[in-house]
Amino acid sequence: MSAIDAPEKAPAHDNGPFGEPTDDTAVEMAELRRYRRGEATPDSDLIAAEPQGRRLSLRWANGDTGEFPLMWLRDHCACAACRHPMTRERLYKLMDDPLWASLDRGDAVAQIDVAADRLTLVWADGHVSRFDAGWLHQRRPGHELESLLPPARPWCEGFRPEHVAHADFAETDAGRTRWVTAVLRDGLALLDDGPRELETVSRIAERIGPMRSTNFGGRFDVQSKPNPNNAAYTAIGLELHTDLPNWRQPPDIQLLYCLENAAQGGESSFTDGFAAAEALRLRAPEAFQILARTPIDFRFQDEGHDIAVREPIIDLDADGRPREIRFNNWIRDTLSLPADVIEAWYAAYREFWQELRDPARRVELTLAPGQMVAFDNRRVLHGRNAFDPNTGKRHLQGLYLDRDMLESHLRVLSR
Ligand code: OGA
Ligand code: ZN
Ligand code: ZN
């Protein structure tokens, strides 16, 4: 088999509004993200395909090349037998394919056909696979598919969170995109000028996804209560903290909607836990390492619950960057560590606490009725000043959302 060059240029194809082909000649890849030529990947005409052992080497008009293992190409066939045409999910099972040995040897392709907009492969067993040239270009091995999500941006001195008008969020894709982007990027965003109506927070959440329930229920009321089972339900000040660090998976995104804030005090503050951790790593690397490497106990108990985990304060990803902060001084359980580690751990904890309180990275605001704050509870810490319930009423309604739903919302809006 030799390299086969593209014949003359085929006409370009466009996506319909939902990514569907707008003519019957475009290759349908069972993929809703944009991929067709002239849209996501201009200049991605395919010009050559050359077999090289167990791989197929592709070249596009813009000079990009890609080496595709034959087994990958077979696994990604998007025909109706290999991908369910309604669910878009994979039906093909590599495990049951008699062609496997041949794919592994590199003699599994009987015919290769290259056109500007597509690659057609006829396999040794007669199965035909068609691939859109732009789709392949986006997915060439070794090149990460471009993320549709904003990367986390650490707060610098003078950081001010994004404000979006409630009406923009409720009525426009652009408003919701701006809000979701800010929550994912900064871990904090505000919605302004919403109605002073109970359950507005539930209406807002419904636009994004189902709420995440906890031992405090689904949608919860934050106000001073007669028999509180949690510090938030008192009038005392709340030191900067993350919610529910005693859960294996603490809730991702917290929404707090202000209905009334007439009491004296009760001002809110926030800080970027990732930025504080980075500052600690630079200033006191040993303290950083102790907090990252030492799991400690977090625990909540009331009549019906005893929810506990043992995790570090700073959880690092495989590259050593903070992935999650668990910091909540009243939910922290008995410190169960060897005596010599206890002293070092407390010293490190104080160092981090000091970074968290750094006024340069702290955002302070007083929530107005009709205003909502949203934050990434696994990155950004929140707190409030004590308030005096005798001077007026303070009432917030809150709930949690999964980050997956915010990310999904952005990806869908980018189609
Ligand atoms: C909470 C909380 C902050 C506030 O409910 O978890 O921290 O402003 N509330 O009352
Ligand atoms: Zn197929
Ligand atoms: Zn809280």
Side-chain angles (χ1 to χ4, degrees):
M1 245 177 313
S2 63
I4 295 149
D5 289 329
E8 76 229 49
K9 216 168 150 80
H13 305 296
D14 294 324
N15 281 48
F18 302 104
E20 80 282 13
T22 49
D23 64 52
D24 50 19
T25 62
V27 181
E28 176 51 67
M29 297 305 295
E31 166 59 58
L32 293 173
R33 182 178 165 152
R34 288 162 178 257
Y35 60 83
R36 293 228 162 77
R37 292 181 314 141
E39 296 214 8
T41 55
D43 301 327
S44 64
D45 281 3
L46 193 57
I47 56 171
E50 183 157 6
Q52 287 179 340
R54 305 194 299 172
R55 299 186 181 163
L56 192 62
S57 183
L58 302 186
R59 197 162 70 248
W60 286 267
N62 65 359
D64 288 341
T65 58
E67 251 188 63
F68 291 75
L70 294 179
M71 53 184 73
W72 187 97
L73 288 165
R74 182 62 194 86
D75 187 41
H76 290 81
C77 179
C79 80
C82 294
R83 284 247 155 198
H84 193 289
M86 304 307 294
T87 69
R88 302 181 185 83
E89 292 163 333
R90 181 176 290 107
L91 296 171
Y92 172 75
K93 295 180 194 166
L94 198 57
M95 193 61 197
D96 298 338
D97 191 348
L99 204 64
W100 169 256
S102 175
L103 288 163
D104 200 27
R105 275 197 309 271
D107 57 5
V109 189
Q111 198 183 318
I112 303 172
D113 184 41
V114 176
D117 68 330
R118 74 185 59 188
L119 170 72
T120 306
L121 300 178
V122 182
W123 301 97
D125 61 2
H127 192 82
V128 179
S129 300
R130 292 187 182 83
F131 299 94
D132 180 276
W135 184 92
L136 284 171
H137 182 264
Q138 277 185 334
R139 287 161 183 76
R140 55 203 195 283
H143 290 260
E144 219 173 290
L145 191 59
E146 190 196 342
S147 172
L148 299 172
L149 308 175
R153 193 162 74 189
W155 299 4
C156 300
E157 192 160 349
F159 164 77
R160 288 286 158 263
E162 185 106 13
H163 288 246
V164 175
H166 177 271
D168 287 345
F169 174 95
E171 288 154 28
T172 70
D173 285 354
R176 271 195 308 286
T177 299
R178 209 152 60 78
W179 180 82
V180 174
T181 301
V183 176
L184 295 177
R185 181 192 61 214
D186 303 327
L188 177 66
L190 285 117
L191 270 195
D192 295 343
D193 303 320
R196 299 185 184 190
E197 276 170 28
L198 289 167
E199 299 304 341
T200 306
V201 71
S202 307
R203 300 289 101 69
I204 291 167
E206 278 160 16
R207 304 304 302 262
I208 306 294
M211 60 185 162
R212 156 87 192 273
S213 297
T214 73
N215 54 301
F216 297 110
R219 211 269 304 125
F220 50 86
D221 287 281
V222 182
Q223 55 196 339
S224 165
K225 297 176 192 180
N227 296 302
N229 65 346
N230 179 276
Y233 302 155
T234 67
I236 62 178
L238 301 178
E239 177 71 37
L240 287 164
H241 67 283
T242 61
D243 277 8
L244 305 176
N246 56 308
W247 282 61
R248 289 160 58 93
Q249 175 161 332
D252 294 334
I253 308 296
Q254 179 164 189
L255 311 187
L256 283 175
Y257 194 93
C258 177
L259 292 161
E260 287 181 90
N261 203 1
Q264 247 166 47
E267 301 85 358
S268 307
S269 44
F270 302 89
T271 200
D272 180 355
F274 288 178
E278 178 60 13
L280 180 69
R281 194 179 64 77
L282 294 174
R283 186 176 61 76
E286 279 166 28
F288 177 89
Q289 291 302 336
I290 289 170
L291 296 184
R293 291 202 180 127
T294 315
I296 60 150
D297 293 300
F298 296 91
R299 182 162 173 237
F300 171 89
Q301 45 182 332
D302 67 5
E303 281 63 38
H305 303 93
D306 192 332
I307 309 169
V309 292
R310 190 167 171 87
E311 292 285 352
I313 297 270
I314 302 172
D315 183 38
L316 303 181
D317 66 16
D319 298 324
R321 281 189 290 263
R323 169 168 54 195
E324 167 154 27
I325 306 296
R326 290 175 196 256
F327 191 98
N328 187 318
N329 198 51
W330 58 94
I331 291 289
R332 195 160 54 72
D333 198 13
T334 306
L335 188 64
S336 171
L337 293 170
D340 56 333
V341 182
I342 286 176
E343 285 140 359
W345 188 89
Y346 275 125
Y349 187 61
R350 280 176 54 94
E351 295 282 5
F352 187 41
W353 202 333
Q354 186 186 325
E355 288 298 346
L356 291 170
R357 281 182 173 176
D358 187 339
R361 279 188 306 267
R362 196 177 172 114
V363 168
E364 295 184 348
L365 52 92
T366 301
L367 285 170
Q371 193 174 41
M372 187 190 84
V373 67
F375 50 91
D376 180 344
N377 180 57
R378 299 170 77 175
R379 166 184 171 190
V380 166
L381 291 84
H382 63 290
R384 70 149 192 246
N385 292 342
F387 60 94
D388 180 355
N390 301 314
T391 56
K393 205 174 163 202
R394 187 178 191 273
H395 183 197
L396 313 180
Q397 287 193 316
L399 54 79
Y400 303 111
L401 291 173
D402 287 316
R403 183 187 182 91
D404 307 63
M405 288 294 104
L406 277 78
E407 294 184 349
S408 165
H409 200 81
L410 266 199
R411 293 193 190 103
V412 170
L413 287 174
S414 76
R415 286 176 191 163

